[in-house]
Amino acid sequence: MVFVLEQHRENIRWTKTGEVGVGLQEMGNKGAVGLRLGYAVPDSDDTVELTFVAAHLAPMEEALQRRNDDWKSIVRRLVFAPVTMKGTSKTTESQAAREESEPLLKGSASNDQSPHGLYTPTSHLIVAGDLNYRTSNTKPFPGADAFLFPKLNTGSQDNGNFYSLLHRDQLSRERKAGRTCHGLTESPIHFPPTYKWSKKAQIMAEKEDKMTTWDWAKHRWPSWCDRILYLELPGWMKVEMPQLAIEVDKYGALPLMPTSDHQPVLLTMKIPLKGIPGPEAVGGGDDVRVNPPFDIDPQWRERRQSARRKEIAVGILAYLVLTWEGRSIVLALIIGTLLGWSVVQGLLV
């Protein structure tokens, strides 16, 4: 979800959204959702384009290639389309449903109605989520590797020397090799792994204001699964306006929540209130905004619609099987069917 301060709400000129599933049968248990918006700079005719993407990639230490493939699928099939408003309904119920489905940040339609993927020449890009990259390609050996897990040392500045584990981070290695998160930048990490915290740690998080020890789940390598990355200003903008730059204020972790084995992360940054000009004047060169690593899948819309139908079917099945309400409906249908069959048989005798 993207929130905007009330005083800036009227500056949202237009919005576009996109979604893609990369889970089983391309369903959305893994995948990405995105929002692209145009922010009208006050007292100016300029518009700053901002793209926010939340992603969830494949889990497990050994699934490195799957994560890279998930990223490729996101680049190819996360396509942004203008947010359209539904027509006004005559009934109260339909009106309520319509209001519930419409975004609070409506804006107006963008002049550009053509589909654009994750990368586009004139937009900033921020990617966040459980990217699931680990610090090992194999699971820890039970009981033997736990002594290598970082430990909180309140009397030392190195905090258990988790930096030695950070050197094994898959995302940093794969990104530098050009196999994932192409062109994206990440601020230096100076916080401990965000995953996987033990049940004991989650209980402690609810009782204590500050961690006094780090307690990790023993069957997973502590890893920085939760990340926030962004695109720097394009080269042609730096040439034309060298005084402008993106400034990162803080990149860190928030307190552990008692309901999750992940620790949330935050990134605060300042982006220049200047729209990114098109690269036509100076040429885009090798900038990833102009030359993305993968082309948009021409079947992206059909594939998403097919996956959405599967999601609905699986959702209905899960409701009927996994919830008390659903089971009650199934039981009522079975009883009704048996009673109906009995009545029919009685009439035929």
Side-chain angles (χ1 to χ4, degrees), residues 4-234:
V4 175
L5 293 175
E6 182 65 31
Q7 60 265 34
H8 297 298
R9 181 176 176 180
E10 297 302 321
N11 295 99
I12 305 302
R13 184 168 293 174
W14 51 262
T15 57
K16 296 181 178 181
T17 59
E19 61 181 56
V20 59
V22 299
L24 180 65
Q25 293 292 306
E26 298 183 354
M27 289 188 287
N29 59 315
K30 296 290 186 292
V33 294
L35 172 70
R36 177 167 291 153
L37 60 85
Y39 178 82
V41 179
D43 303 320
S44 170
D45 294 331
D46 209 357
T47 299
V48 176
E49 293 184 31
L50 300 165
T51 302
F52 301 93
V53 173
H56 191 188
L57 308 186
M60 305 300 179
E61 282 86 351
E62 65 275 12
L64 173 60
Q65 187 56 48
R66 282 181 56 199
R67 284 186 279 279
N68 290 350
D69 291 341
D70 286 350
W71 173 256
K72 179 179 179 180
S73 296
I74 290 172
V75 175
R76 296 203 68 203
R77 293 191 277 113
L78 180 63
V79 179
F80 291 84
V83 175
T84 57
M85 300 297 110
K86 298 179 181 178
T88 302
S89 173
K90 296 181 180 179
T91 65
T92 303
E93 293 80 8
S94 298
Q95 176 70 12
R98 182 179 66 84
E99 291 176 353
E100 181 68 20
S101 64
E102 288 183 0
L104 296 177
L105 296 177
K106 297 179 181 179
S108 59
S110 169
N111 292 329
D112 184 3
Q113 299 294 310
S114 59
H116 289 283
L118 182 71
Y119 298 102
T120 191
T122 56
S123 179
H124 296 281
L125 174 61
I126 299 171
V127 177
D130 179 9
L131 304 186
N132 253 324
Y133 285 92
R134 309 301 175 91
T135 54
S136 175
N137 293 341
T138 58
K139 298 176 182 178
F141 192 78
D145 289 329
F147 77 97
L148 296 173
F149 292 1
K151 300 175 178 62
L152 177 61
N153 184 352
T154 56
S156 173
Q157 294 298 317
D158 65 7
N159 280 342
N161 194 25
F162 61 73
Y163 291 104
S164 61
L165 198 61
L166 183 59
H167 291 320
R168 297 161 46 181
D169 175 57
Q170 292 177 340
L171 178 56
S172 299
R173 182 180 71 241
E174 296 298 297
R175 185 170 57 85
K176 291 176 181 177
R179 291 188 286 263
T180 190
C181 296
H182 302 79
L184 294 173
T185 296
E186 183 178 29
S187 291
I189 292 177
H190 297 299
F191 51 89
T194 62
Y195 176 86
K196 174 179 173 75
W197 295 97
S198 68
K199 291 291 185 182
K200 178 182 176 181
Q202 295 174 55
I203 295 173
M204 291 169 56
E206 188 172 19
K207 295 181 178 180
E208 301 178 1
D209 294 332
K210 187 177 181 180
M211 280 189 181
T212 57
T213 183
W214 291 343
D215 200 275
W216 311 98
K218 301 299 187 290
H219 62 293
R220 294 282 180 264
W221 279 101
S223 301
W224 287 264
C225 291
D226 310 278
R227 313 287 274 268
I228 306 175
L229 302 95
Y230 62 95
L231 277 182
E232 290 281 7
L233 297 181

Side-chain angles (χ1 to χ4, degrees), residues 277-297:
E280 295 82 6
V282 295
D286 295 329
D287 193 282
V288 71
R289 287 178 171 87
V290 179
N291 297 295
F294 312 107
D295 294 331
I296 293 178
D297 184 348

Side-chain angles (χ1 to χ4, degrees), residues 300-316:
W300 67 270
R301 191 186 303 274
E302 291 79 6
R303 294 176 69 169
R304 183 61 197 137
Q305 290 172 345
S306 174
R308 184 58 183 158
R309 290 191 290 269
K310 297 173 186 175
E311 291 169 357
I312 294 173
V314 170
I316 293 173

Side-chain angles (χ1 to χ4, degrees), residues 228-293:
I228 306 175
L229 302 95
Y230 62 95
L231 277 182
E232 290 281 7
L233 297 181
W236 64 84
M237 189 174 185
K238 292 179 180 180
V239 171
E240 294 181 349
M241 291 164 274
Q243 75 280 9
L244 300 182
I246 293 176
E247 299 178 13
V248 173
D249 293 325
K250 183 177 182 180
Y251 185 38
L254 296 169
L256 180 66
M257 305 295 290
T259 56
S260 176
D261 53 9
H262 286 259
Q263 192 169 2
V265 296
L266 67 87
L267 174 70
T268 58
M269 60 196 305
K270 298 176 182 177
I271 295 176
L273 279 180
K274 180 67 179 177
I276 299 177
E280 295 82 6
V282 295
D286 295 329
D287 193 282
V288 71
R289 287 178 171 87
V290 179
N291 297 295

